[in-house]
Amino acid sequence: MPTPPPLPAPTDPLAELRRVHALMQLEQQEDRAQFKLKSARASIAERQRRGLTWYPVTVRSEDIGFGGRWVLELERPASQQGLHLFQVGANAQLFAAAPSSTGETPTLQGVVTDLRRNRLVLTTSQEDLPDWLEGGGRVGGKLGVDLVFDEVSYRESDHAMGEVMKARGDRLAELRDVLLGARPARFGALRADDLFYPSALNDSQLAAVRHVMSAQDVAIIHGPPGTGKTTTLVQAILETVRRERRVLVCAPSNTAVDLLTERLAERGVKVVRLGNPSRVSDLLLKHTLDAQVMAHRSYATMRALRQTAQQLREEAHDLAGRTRRKLGFEARQQMKHEARQLIAEADALERRITDQVLESVQIITCTLVGASHRHLRHLSIDTVFIDEAAQALEPSSWIPVTRAQRVVLAGDHHQLPPTVKSDEAARQGLRETLFEKCIERQPDTARMLTVQYRMHQQIMAFSSERFYGGRLQAHATVRDAGLEAWDPAFAPDRPVEFLDTAGFGFLEHTLAGSRSTANPEEADLLLQRLAQLLQPYDPSSHAQHPLTIGVIAPYRAQINHLKDAIEAHPTLHPLMQHPQRLLSVGTVDSFQGQERDVIAISLTRSNRAGEIGFLSDVRRMNVGMTRARRKLLMVGDSSTLSAHPFFQDLLNHVKRIGGLRSGWEMVDQG
């Protein structure tokens, strides 16, 4: 791989794009190399040890999901449970351990759409199950499931960057130059009464919506934690579709896309969700493309064509087993020919149905990579909205930009950064997003929201001073809203608490062949303190407005340990199993755009070298801390963490407000 060219001047967009393109190639190369290192030529047992494989698994259930695709629930034996790297949204494949007659391992590709301890749900891309799965392939514990490498995002990002770099004298070229600071952004006049939809937005939110409506090229909504960025963005989208035929709404994660889809659907506009949603709700599923295609009056005809084609295939297969005569061969060929014709007819009908569905909606939502969907290629898009734009790698952000006449970015460059696997690419600037470049080079394109409605002022204070120049204000409804304000059964307590494990010897463990780290002893201490904190809580007495709890850790391996430990915990497990899922566990990324009354964070890192890994990207910590409304509990090793200036400042801040405690207090109480 060639060395990326030198840093260009900010006003040379093409040179800058060539550099970013080269960095993305470095990232793809490193990502593929890391995955191959973990999986290539490794035995099943080794892949299990590295957290990449479940084996053996049994198929607990089979069902046909939206779009006629098979959905399989897989379960591994309780004896096989352990740390792993599976998560919702990951690409995976079911495999048969016994090779086929060709010597190759049979596989079935899919996406993990649900995950609970020893069970996962694999949504496949197939409308027909393969013979090896329908037959004896799964007998005797011969099935397993692997994580797989996905090239799609790299391929589509590469294609989009090619389009942007070769653009000359057209709208894409103009947008490129504005976003990268080589051409000034233009804004038109907008009267105060030009907004149509009624809303209860505050002054800074209304100013942001008006700013979006006046933008002719690019606008940015800068939304610090709890300031109602999603509410403001939804309002801007509603105002936009009053004036434009169709808009595209994107985000880098399925979770963010799902949230926007639900919020827009609740406002009564026509919206369709492309791709596989990660959240399962009746409202969301109703608005997926698959569901709307299935609701079309011609869907039954299309399904009948496919069923008839499948019957013909099965009859041809049965005939092959009964006779080898010429007559049998000719009959089989005729059946296969008829089946192919029926499938072609069904495919053509499905394309027409899909086109009709997409033509009828005002808003299309999808991930950034989903914006490359083949059904969008012939549609004209007026404005593209990109939420969580400060969390997206620049190359993937260009995918939806190539579709639009105008761009609105929403996010916060002091929150979640994009994940970059190549250290070299990260050092040379791949972590710098399109959002960051535009807000720094074209500050007039941005409007910042300043009133936060989420958290107690003590939870907000450190973040406001460290990241937002002290400009955030806690709304009166949350300013002093601790746990005791929610329910007097809770004794008055510090809204911010740091439980220090220095001197405990709770050292981290790293999974072999991976960058994922766990610290089981620290996790157990966190859960002990959390259970103690929640002793006064009775969910049955707060059925309408229950207390919600989020447990966060920076590493997938630590998350999986926490989940397993909670399942065995008599106090915490019922909260996780509650119909309203009162307790949830995940990485910072999984809590994007969300909030909880109580947030408990296991910082995980504890070593004698003072290494904290990607915790040094303090924006993730900003996100984790600001998910909390009423109580923020952190557990970590100050002797490791304080080697970094940010965590030293955080520890000093918590100490000043009286929230720093030694973990020995918990041990003594135990």
Side-chain angles (χ1 to χ4, degrees):
M1 185 69 64
T3 301
L7 283 169
T11 54
D12 188 355
L14 294 181
E16 183 172 4
L17 287 165
R18 284 192 291 269
R19 179 180 174 78
V20 171
H21 185 253
L23 294 177
M24 194 63 171
Q25 289 178 312
L26 280 178
E27 172 71 1
Q28 182 178 9
Q29 184 183 53
E30 176 64 19
D31 196 3
R32 188 187 293 113
Q34 286 185 21
F35 193 87
K36 286 183 177 179
L37 183 65
K38 296 174 188 174
S39 59
R41 301 186 184 90
S43 65
I44 290 176
E46 180 64 18
R47 297 202 306 274
Q48 280 181 287
R49 192 173 69 84
R50 294 174 180 174
L52 301 171
T53 298
W54 283 12
Y55 180 85
V57 297
T58 55
V59 181
R60 303 295 301 177
S61 66
E62 302 169 354
D63 195 10
I64 297 178
F66 285 103
R69 298 176 181 88
W70 281 96
V71 178
L72 307 176
E73 183 181 9
L74 309 174
E75 183 178 33
R76 62 175 178 170
S79 61
Q80 296 291 329
Q81 77 177 49
L83 300 175
H84 62 82
L85 302 175
F86 286 83
Q87 59 182 312
V88 172
N91 292 281
Q93 65 180 14
L94 187 65
F95 66 88
S100 67
S101 56
T102 64
E104 297 181 354
T105 300
T107 60
L108 178 64
Q109 305 290 323
V111 175
V112 177
T113 52
D114 193 22
L115 179 65
R116 296 185 183 180
R117 200 170 190 180
N118 291 322
R119 293 192 183 191
L120 67 79
V121 174
L122 186 72
T123 299
T124 77
S125 56
Q126 303 299 313
E127 294 189 357
D128 301 309
L129 289 178
D131 292 342
W132 59 266
L133 185 57
E134 291 180 333
R138 69 172 108 164
V139 178
K142 295 181 180 179
L143 295 180
V145 60
D146 278 331
L147 286 173
V148 297
F149 185 71
D150 182 20
E151 297 274 6
V152 174
S153 60
Y154 290 108
R155 184 177 67 245
E156 297 301 337
S157 296
D158 185 77
H159 176 75
M161 291 207 71
E163 293 293 308
V164 174
M165 286 188 285
K166 73 181 183 183
R168 298 288 189 280
D170 58 9
R171 185 55 177 155
L172 180 56
E174 292 174 351
L175 290 176
R176 173 196 67 205
D177 292 350
V178 172
L179 285 161
L180 294 178
R183 178 194 295 259
R186 299 169 300 162
F187 297 89
L190 185 71
R191 300 194 314 273
D193 60 353
D194 274 357
L195 300 185
F196 174 78
Y197 283 94
S199 71
L201 301 186
N202 63 44
D203 289 345
S204 69
Q205 292 170 332
L206 283 171
V209 173
R210 292 193 178 101
H211 183 64
V212 168
M213 303 315 301
S214 68
Q216 297 178 14
D217 307 298
V218 175
I220 292 177
I221 299 174
H222 180 195
T227 55
K229 184 256 303 173
T230 300
T231 298
T232 307
L233 181 60
V234 166
Q235 193 73 24
I237 294 168
L238 292 174
E239 294 292 345
T240 301
V241 295
R242 278 192 66 232
R243 298 161 171 80
E244 299 177 1
R245 169 67 184 87
R246 184 185 297 110
V247 302
L248 181 63
V249 179
C250 302
S253 72
N254 278 298
T255 302
V257 177
D258 293 345
L259 176 63
L260 282 168
T261 304
E262 289 181 337
R263 295 284 293 274
L264 288 163
E266 288 167 354
R267 298 296 295 269
V269 292
K270 292 183 177 180
V271 57
V272 64
R273 164 67 156 102
L274 295 186
N276 289 320
S278 58
R279 297 164 68 175
V280 180
S281 70
D282 292 340
L283 177 62
L284 183 60
L285 291 176
K286 184 175 75 171
H287 291 281
T288 61
L289 178 60
D290 286 341
Q292 295 192 38
V293 166
M294 291 176 72
H296 193 277
R297 61 183 180 276
S298 298
Y299 177 79
T301 302
M302 181 195 75
R303 187 66 180 155
L305 289 169
R306 291 208 167 118
Q307 288 175 336
T308 303
Q310 181 63 19
Q311 290 170 0
L312 286 169
R313 284 173 168 173
E314 291 173 357
E315 290 175 12
H317 180 76
D318 291 343
L319 189 59
R322 292 197 303 268
T323 178
R324 293 183 179 274
R325 293 179 300 174
K326 182 178 180 182
L327 179 62
F329 174 78
E330 291 175 350
R332 293 200 309 275
Q333 293 302 107
Q334 179 61 29
M335 289 178 183
K336 291 179 180 179
H337 175 70
E338 290 178 13
R340 285 193 295 269
Q341 286 185 315
L342 290 171
I343 290 171
E345 187 177 345
D347 288 346
L349 180 55
E350 183 177 27
R351 285 193 294 271
R352 290 197 296 273
I353 294 172
T354 302
D355 288 345
Q356 289 174 18
V357 168
L358 292 176
E359 283 289 348
S360 70
V361 298
Q362 299 165 279
I363 303 168
I364 299 170
T365 64
C366 61
T367 62
L368 299 176
V369 176
S372 63
H373 199 289
R374 67 184 187 279
H375 292 303
L376 295 182
R377 290 170 188 165
H378 69 286
L379 294 178
S380 61
I381 304 292
D382 297 309
T383 299
V384 60
F385 290 84
I386 303 179
D387 193 15
E388 304 294 356
Q391 194 188 353
L393 288 173
E394 180 181 340
S396 59
S397 296
W398 288 113
I399 299 172
V401 173
T402 62
R403 304 265 186 256
Q405 301 298 306
R406 199 171 69 109
V407 180
V408 178
L409 305 176
D412 178 13
H413 50 307
H414 300 303
Q415 294 193 56
L416 286 177
T419 299
V420 178
K421 294 185 172 65
S422 167
D423 293 337
E424 182 64 21
R427 278 194 298 271
Q428 296 198 44
L430 188 59
R431 279 206 183 99
E432 187 178 14
T433 64
L434 193 58
F435 181 100
E436 288 176 272
K437 290 180 178 181
C438 189
I439 199 171
E440 290 170 4
R441 299 174 190 180
Q442 302 254 36
D444 289 345
T445 61
R447 292 293 182 273
M448 179 174 145
L449 312 180
T450 57
V451 180
Q452 70 86 12
Y453 298 84
R454 174 181 299 163
M455 65 201 101
H456 192 287
Q457 59 184 345
Q458 285 194 16
I459 299 174
M460 176 198 75
F462 182 76
S463 176
S464 179
E465 292 299 327
R466 180 79 186 197
F467 296 101
Y468 307 105
R471 294 176 59 194
L472 295 188
Q473 305 168 25
H475 191 264
T477 55
V478 299
R479 189 175 299 133
D480 300 305
L483 283 174
E484 67 279 8
W486 181 79
D487 188 335
F490 288 94
D493 193 15
R494 289 291 182 186
V496 180
E497 177 183 340
F498 193 106
L499 202 57
D500 188 4
T501 65
F504 274 63
F506 289 175
L507 297 179
E508 66 197 49
H509 306 281
T510 301
L511 283 178
S514 108
R515 294 187 177 185
S516 198
T517 300
N519 192 329
E521 293 168 308
E522 178 184 294
D524 294 341
L525 182 65
L526 175 74
L527 298 182
Q528 179 187 346
R529 172 59 182 136
L530 183 60
Q532 181 191 67
L533 182 69
L534 296 174
Q535 277 181 346
Y537 178 41
D538 179 9
S540 63
S541 64
H542 295 279
Q544 295 300 315
H545 302 287
L547 191 75
T548 58
I549 304 101
V551 178
I552 294 176
Y555 296 94
R556 174 57 49 186
Q558 183 78 336
I559 290 298
N560 291 333
H561 175 81
L562 284 161
K563 286 182 176 179
D564 289 348
I566 288 171
E567 289 214 14
H569 199 290
T571 301
L572 302 178
H573 185 237
L575 299 177
M576 180 178 277
Q577 293 300 307
H578 192 277
Q580 293 172 280
R581 200 166 177 80
L582 303 180
L583 189 153
S584 51
V585 185
T587 62
V588 170
D589 302 60
S590 70
F591 281 89
Q592 157 184 281
Q594 301 182 48
E595 56 192 53
R596 298 290 189 273
D597 291 302
V598 178
I599 286 289
I601 304 176
S602 168
L603 293 166
T604 307
R605 300 307 298 263
S606 178
N607 54 74
R608 296 181 178 90
E611 296 176 352
I612 64 171
F614 75 87
L615 281 181
S616 60
D617 192 331
V618 297
R619 292 176 293 181
R620 289 186 181 276
M621 195 62 188
N622 183 36
V623 173
M625 294 188 299
T626 56
R627 301 306 94 191
R629 295 190 193 107
R630 303 176 183 276
K631 176 74 176 185
L632 171 62
L633 168 66
M634 296 171 281
V635 179
D637 180 356
S638 65
S639 64
T640 297
L641 298 169
S642 60
H644 191 282
F646 173 87
F647 287 97
Q648 183 63 65
D649 289 347
L650 174 62
L651 289 163
N652 289 339
H653 170 80
V654 177
K655 185 176 182 179
R656 280 197 303 273
I657 63 175
L660 186 62
R661 300 177 59 193
S662 169
W664 292 111
E665 295 180 40
M666 289 297 301
V667 174
D668 294 340
Q669 291 172 9

